[in-house]
Amino acid sequence: MQTSSPTAYITGCLDSTAVQGHFHDFRKADFNSMNDFLQNLNWTEILHGTDANQAASSLSYVLVYAIDQFVSKIIRRKPMKPVWSNSHLKSLKRLKRAALKKHSKYRIDETRVAYLEAKQNYSWLNDRLYAAHQINIQDCLKSELKSFWNYVNDQRKQTDLPSTMTNGISEASTIMAIADLFRSQFSSVFSDEATPVHAINAAKINVPQLTNLGHSFTVTLDTVSGALERLKSSTGHGPDCIPSLLLKICSTALVLPLATVFNKSLTTGVFPNSWKQSYVFPMHKKGCKQSVAKYRGIAALNAVSKQFELIVLDELVHIYAHYVSPNQHGFVPKRSTTNLSSYTSFIIREMEKGQQVDAIYTDLSAAFDKMNHEITIAKFDKLGLNDRFK
C-alpha cells in the first residue's frame, strides 16, 4: 500500500475511526506488512517543518492509520454467563423458560410434566458443565494463574465498582454521576497554589549548584532502539490507541521518527499536548468500596510519551544519581525492599549495644498530587537541568 504524499496518510488517519462495538485484535495483526509500510514512509518529509506538537500528532495519526489497515477488528461480545455455558445449555435454558411460561398460562398436567422435563434436562447439563469447569480450573492452577484468579474474582462477585457510590454527602448510581463523583474527588486533592519566592529559595538552599554538565542532551537512534527493547509487549493503550506492543515489534521502522519527535520536544522545551492526555481510572486502596475517597486515581498514559519519559529519566539518573541520599530507598532502582532489611539490621545492632531506638512514621495523603511543582523545577534549575535539556 503506497500513497503519493504524507498528507494523504495523515488525512487517512483522521478518517480511520473505530467502529462502535468492535476492537482491534493485535494477536491477528499483520505486523510484517505494517513494518514494511512504516519503513517505506518518508519520515523526513512528513515531520519536516513541524513543531513538537505537530510532529507528535503526525506520528500518532500515521500509527493509528497503520493499525486500522493492518490489524483486524473483532466484535466485542459479552462473556457467557455462566462462563461454563455453551450453545446447547443456552438452548435448553430457552426451552425451560418457554415451558414455564406455557405452564403458567394453562396450569395442566401436560404442561407441568413438560416443564419439569425441560428443567431436569437443563439442570443435568449445567451440573456436568460446571463440574468440568472446576476440574479445568484445578488442572490449570499452576500453568494459567490468570484463569485461576479470574475464577476467584468471579466467586467474590465484587470485581467491579459498586452500583452506588458516595462522597459522604451525595450518592450516585448512574455511570455519568459516579464518574463525576470521582472527578470531584481526584481534583479536590490536587494542589496548585502559588508558592512565595522566599519559600522556593528556602527549599532549594541545600541543593548543589551544578555547571558544565556537557552539551545539551540529544536522543540518538541507539538510545531509542535500546529503550524500545526494554518495552513490555502490552496491548493496553492510552487515549491515542497505540499500544507499546506496536512500538516494540515495529521498532526498526519507528526508531527514526521517534528520535526526531523526541529531539524536537527537547530542543524547543515543549512537551506535546497530545502526550498530556491520559485515561484516569479509580483503584481501590482500602476501606469501604462505595466511598470515592477510598480510591486512588491511576493514569493510563500514551505509550510514546512513556517511552520519551523513560529515556529522559535514564539521563537524569545517569547525571544525578550520586546526589541522592544513600538512605533513600523509595523509587530507587533495586532498592524497593531494602529499607526494611536496613532498618531491621540497625535496630538489632542498637539493641545489642543496649541503646534506645525511636521511630517516626508519616503517611502523606495524596502526596504526589500535592507535590509542589514550582519548588521541584527550581531545584532542577539549580542542578543545571536547563543547561542539559535545551
Side-chain angles (χ1 to χ4, degrees):
M1 177 187 206
Q2 296 187 0
T3 308
S4 57
S5 70
T7 306
Y9 293 125
I10 298 174
T11 303
C13 297
L14 291 171
D15 295 334
S16 62
T17 54
V19 180
Q20 187 174 6
H22 294 66
F23 72 100
H24 291 100
D25 185 7
F26 285 91
R27 294 173 299 178
K28 300 179 181 179
D30 185 2
F31 283 113
N32 290 331
S33 297
M34 183 188 295
N35 219 5
D36 292 339
F37 166 73
L38 294 173
Q39 283 183 322
N40 290 329
L41 291 178
N42 188 341
W43 288 106
T44 303
E45 181 184 352
I46 294 174
L47 301 177
H48 176 70
T50 59
D51 59 22
N53 276 310
Q54 294 170 330
S57 297
S58 297
L59 176 61
S60 295
Y61 291 155
V62 172
L63 294 181
V64 170
Y65 178 68
I67 290 173
D68 194 56
Q69 296 299 309
F70 301 106
V71 182
S72 60
K73 299 186 186 74
I74 59 177
I75 299 175
R76 188 183 298 275
R77 301 182 185 277
K78 291 184 178 180
M80 288 186 176
K81 293 186 177 181
V83 294
W84 57 85
S85 181
N86 59 20
S87 58
H88 189 194
L89 185 65
K90 292 171 69 176
S91 176
L92 291 179
K93 189 174 184 178
R94 287 193 295 268
L95 292 175
K96 185 184 73 168
R97 287 179 174 176
L100 177 61
K101 184 178 181 180
K102 188 174 182 178
H103 177 60
S104 299
K105 181 177 181 180
Y106 296 105
R107 295 286 180 178
I108 58 178
D109 290 341
E110 183 179 351
T111 58
R112 178 175 177 276
V113 170
Y115 166 65
L116 291 176
E117 182 179 357
K119 180 181 179 182
Q120 183 179 10
N121 290 338
Y122 172 80
S123 299
W124 179 83
L125 181 58
N126 183 64
D127 290 343
R128 292 198 60 175
L129 290 175
Y130 178 67
H133 175 67
Q134 286 185 312
I135 293 174
N136 183 59
I137 291 294
Q138 293 173 9
D139 292 341
C140 298
L141 179 58
K142 292 183 178 180
S143 60
E144 299 182 20
L145 289 177
K146 184 176 180 180
S147 298
F148 170 74
W149 285 114
N150 286 340
Y151 172 77
V152 171
N153 290 331
D154 183 65
Q155 299 303 305
R156 290 174 176 170
K157 303 296 183 183
Q158 284 190 338
T159 56
D160 298 324
L161 292 174
S163 57
T164 302
M165 302 293 297
T166 179
N167 61 358
I169 300 176
S170 57
E171 290 188 353
S173 55
T174 64
I175 294 177
M176 293 301 296
I178 291 175
D180 192 58
L181 282 185
F182 278 116
R183 178 196 60 78
S184 299
Q185 171 62 26
F186 295 154
S187 61
S188 67
V189 299
F190 178 74
S191 176
D192 59 351
E193 297 179 359
T195 307
V197 176
H198 67 84
I200 296 177
N201 292 333
K204 67 176 184 177
I205 193 171
N206 292 324
V207 177
Q209 187 164 2
L210 305 182
T211 56
N212 300 323
L213 292 177
H215 300 290
S216 297
F217 175 56
T218 301
V219 177
T220 65
L221 299 183
D222 290 338
T223 301
V224 177
S225 180
L228 289 174
E229 289 179 0
R230 306 200 318 259
L231 268 181
K232 293 182 179 179
S233 299
S234 171
T235 57
H237 57 77
D240 63 355
C241 300
I242 302 169
S244 58
L245 176 69
L246 186 153
L247 302 181
K248 188 175 181 68
I249 294 180
C250 300
S251 59
T252 303
L254 295 176
V255 166
L256 175 61
L258 285 172
T260 302
V261 176
F262 293 164
N263 283 319
K264 282 179 180 287
S265 176
L266 288 171
T267 55
T268 60
V270 174
F271 192 80
N273 292 328
S274 60
W275 293 356
K276 299 175 184 178
Q277 299 176 354
S278 63
Y279 290 139
V280 177
F281 57 93
M283 176 175 289
H284 183 252
K285 296 185 294 184
K286 60 181 179 180
C288 177
K289 286 192 173 183
Q290 288 186 304
S291 173
V292 294
K294 302 300 181 181
Y295 289 78
R296 177 186 293 110
I298 304 298
L301 305 174
N302 294 330
V304 176
S305 67
K306 287 194 292 185
Q307 187 67 26
F308 177 60
E309 292 173 8
L310 289 174
I311 290 175
V312 173
L313 176 62
D314 287 344
E315 180 67 10
L316 290 175
V317 171
H318 173 70
I319 299 173
Y320 302 115
H322 58 284
Y323 291 101
V324 178
S325 170
N327 296 320
Q328 172 70 32
H329 292 262
F331 310 102
V332 176
K334 300 180 180 180
R335 301 200 72 189
S336 58
T337 59
T338 55
N339 184 34
L340 181 59
S341 60
S342 299
Y343 180 56
T344 303
S345 298
F346 171 75
I347 291 178
I348 293 174
R349 289 195 302 269
E350 295 305 306
M351 289 178 62
E352 291 175 347
K353 298 176 185 178
Q355 300 295 322
Q356 175 178 323
V357 177
D358 297 325
I360 300 176
Y361 292 89
T362 59
D363 185 10
L364 302 179
S365 175
F368 283 105
D369 293 322
K370 296 177 180 177
M371 184 181 73
N372 192 296
H373 292 182
E374 292 180 281
I375 291 178
T376 303
I377 293 174
K379 289 183 176 181
F380 275 123
D381 285 343
K382 193 173 180 182
L383 283 169
L385 186 66
N386 283 342
D387 295 330
R388 184 63 174 156
F389 292 90
K390 68 177 182 179

